[in-house]
Amino acid sequence: PTEATTSGAIPGSVEALLAEQKTRSLGGLETLMAWLGSDEVTAAKTMSTITPADFGAIVGSLSYSFDQIIATKALSESAEALTCAHVAAAVGAAAKSARTEIVRECAPRCHDLEANKKLIKAELTDFDLLVCEGVLGAAP
């Protein structure tokens, strides 16, 4: 059986990551990157089952917008089934200054981009939509 961490969360789970992020006074990017590369995450198959809500919660747990961009890119590269709902959740949780770069980096990896890009668009301002037009198409 898998032992729980001091926070009570299963090692490798999103809950364990978020609990550890709360103990950090700055940033959190190093913690996330170590978590992504850990054996526990691989063993728990966390990235094959990560929900959009968890994806957004991880991005929102980071203090700095530039960390949010780097983290979202790394998460999107690790997620086995990245969807527009994942990217929309990340955009919704991110700092305003990070949103367009997150879309430009991650939306092309979405397997359902054509069918569901409206989910991402709903999280963006009109200006953001113009900036992301190359990835998402013209603003409706």
Side-chain angles (χ1 to χ4, degrees), residues 24-62:
R24 304 288 174 196
S25 59
L26 291 174
L29 183 61
E30 287 182 22
T31 304
L32 170 63
M33 298 309 254
W35 178 81
L36 274 174
S38 73
D39 292 338
E40 289 89 3
V41 170
T42 303
K45 300 184 190 274
T46 304
M47 293 310 294
S48 66
T49 59
I50 191 164
T51 66
D54 286 343
F55 199 89
I58 293 169
V59 173
S61 74
L62 298 168

